[in-house]
Amino acid sequence: MPDASHVMWGGRFAEPMDPRLDRLNRSLPVDRRLWREDLATNRAWVHALEGVGVLTAAERDALLRGLDAVATRLEGGAAEGADDEDIHSLVERLLGEVAGPVAGKLHTGRSRNDQMATDLRLWSMTAIDGLDAALAALGRALVARASEGLDLLMPAYTHTQRAQPVRFAHWALAHAWPLARDRGRLADARRRTAVLPLGAGAIAGSGFAVDRRALAARLGFAEVAPNSLDAVGDRDFTVEAVFAATLAAVHASRLAEDLILFSTAEFGFVALPEGFTTGSSLMPQKRNPDALELARGAAGQVLGRLVGMLTTLKAMPAGYQKDLQENNVALFEALDRSTVVALLLEGVVVGLRPVPERMAAALDAGTRATDLADLLVRAGLPFRDAHALVGRLVRRAEELSLPLDALPPAEIRALDPRLAAPLAALGGALEAVERRTVEGGTARAAVLVQLERAGAAFAA
Ligand code: ARG
């Protein structure tokens, strides 16, 4: 239980808080990580109060000095084991201890409602920047691997079945582009986060006409929330950040899944860096892709946070409600987790070793069946007929246990003599990828254009 002298609202209460309420109500263990943001908000508020004549210049300086001393104490772990209700109560108590009675003036015209909304927005902007930097690093790692693997060929899969040959670069960039879109979503979310709630008071607007534009400028906000009632209850920015983080985590899980599959003995397309794998306590031969499995699993938990947040917000009345406090931990964990996952995958991608011979061995002639149909089309057949004809060829090759391009001439003639010339011109996987010069295709020239664009998307 907080010491009665540690709560901000004791005056009208005759009875102490029930310990069962205290257990759920006390948010300090979660929101103590907002201490830097809370101090920034407090410093800005000191200036705002001086601006409206609530504080003298001397009081302003005393409070600013006091907040510096509080920063030192928090830096030294003053939040450790503290019994205060939340970060705002803790900061106010510590300020009283270091600055004396003048500390009692700081909460003038302000509420923990507009304060918390402001702290959370400041925290979110920093967290968004951190996730963005991690995604950019992962994107750069994928682009670097793509650039090295430009001339490495592998099968691409649909339904986890061999489909068509692509460049390894094309595969790596297929996992980079979603991250570029994630970065766009984060930038968009950040714009709507940089809107200042402070000055909204509890709900109706501060009773003191503080200069909110000056507050916004001082704290790094681009805009001022236009409605105090909306400002204290609006957590859209947390949902947007967590959604962007969730989608990034989902993208990370897809990359992880590909790499888990490709690193199995059955595929063997890539070898994972040892530092990102673990052994088995029983089976001495095992090397498990734990980093990738953790990344894959984390996506589910981040998604759960998003759903939990939206469910808490649904049907909440206008203005601040304590329900909102439950969402803070979800915001923190979703952003933390997705950032750690992106950083982890960057390490895996940097240390990845492609195995060209295993990729080449998987490029059987069947992956060029579409090319054969295309060649028949070029010779004048309607695509449907070409598709059916190649289908019969595939079936016959399967019956004879031969690759599709190795049937004896007599077999080909028996199926359809029009197959002979396209089969002779079919070529290997390289010819197949080089037929895909279309923009966004996997031919060398097209991938080079793509590489340049991807490089720019992750440059900063
Ligand atoms: N700890 C609270 C939260 O996280 C701060 C706001 C409290 N406001 C209130 N009216 N009790 O939401």
Side-chain angles (χ1 to χ4, degrees), residues 9 25 27-28 31 34 85-88 111-113 116 120 235 320-322 324-326 328:
W9 40 265
N25 181 56
S27 60
L28 186 63
D31 58 35
L34 293 172
E85 182 181 334
D86 59 20
I87 185 61
H88 322 296
S111 157
R112 283 183 292 165
N113 299 352
M116 188 46 125
L120 283 175
R235 293 294 187 274
Y320 178 87
Q321 330 289 329
K322 201 54 171 278
L324 291 174
Q325 180 172 291
E326 285 289 299
N328 297 347

Side-chain angles (χ1 to χ4, degrees), residues 234-364:
D234 173 19
R235 293 294 187 274
D236 291 2
F237 67 99
T238 63
V239 173
E240 287 194 55
V242 172
F243 169 69
T246 301
L247 196 45
V250 166
H251 293 147
S253 78
R254 298 187 63 194
L255 170 59
E257 173 65 10
D258 258 2
L259 289 176
I260 289 168
L261 208 55
F262 290 171
S263 63
T264 57
E266 285 71 14
F267 278 80
F269 291 177
V270 295
L272 301 175
E274 270 203 7
F276 294 87
T277 59
T278 66
S280 159
S281 58
L282 175 65
M283 299 167 281
Q285 87 284 12
K286 287 298 289 293
R287 198 154 78 78
N288 299 324
D290 288 32
L292 297 169
E293 290 169 306
L294 287 166
R296 191 174 58 179
Q301 295 305 317
V302 176
L303 169 62
R305 293 301 192 178
L306 174 65
V307 175
M309 288 178 93
L310 282 165
T311 311
T312 294
L313 293 176
K314 177 191 167 293
M316 201 161 61
Y320 178 87
Q321 330 289 329
K322 201 54 171 278
D323 313 37
L324 291 174
Q325 180 172 291
E326 285 289 299
N327 270 358
N328 297 347
V329 69
L331 170 69
F332 297 153
E333 292 201 350
L335 270 295
D336 284 351
R337 258 302 140 96
S338 50
T339 304
V340 168
V341 162
L343 293 171
L344 176 70
L345 287 189
E346 185 218 356
V348 174
V349 169
V350 167
L352 211 58
R353 190 170 54 77
V355 186
E357 33 325 331
R358 292 299 301 267
M359 293 182 188
L363 286 166
D364 64 85

Side-chain angles (χ1 to χ4, degrees), residues 94-221:
L94 294 175
L95 186 63
E97 288 173 16
V98 300
V102 67
K105 294 197 169 190
L106 184 53
H107 209 55
T108 310
R110 174 179 85 170
S111 157
R112 283 183 292 165
N113 299 352
D114 58 348
Q115 208 180 338
M116 188 46 125
T118 307
D119 290 359
L120 283 175
R121 283 177 185 264
L122 287 173
W123 186 88
S124 294
M125 288 190 268
T126 307
I128 283 172
D129 293 343
L131 175 55
D132 180 68
L135 292 173
L138 176 55
R140 279 193 294 274
L142 285 164
V143 170
R145 300 322 307 261
S147 166
E148 294 156 23
L150 185 60
D151 292 318
L152 195 51
L153 305 185
M154 65 183 275
Y157 292 77
T158 67
H159 312 268
T160 328
Q161 308 293 316
R162 278 179 202 164
Q164 294 176 335
V166 291
R167 293 178 179 276
F168 177 72
H170 207 57
W171 170 84
L173 292 177
H175 284 290
W177 287 115
L179 308 179
R181 297 193 292 273
D182 292 332
R183 299 188 68 202
R185 272 180 284 270
L186 285 170
D188 200 32
R190 198 189 195 286
R191 269 193 294 283
R192 278 184 293 277
T193 304
V195 178
L196 177 84
L198 201 60
I203 195 157
S206 176
F208 297 80
V210 295
D211 182 347
R212 296 186 68 205
R213 299 275 152 188
L215 272 173
R218 192 179 285 281
L219 287 168
F221 288 93

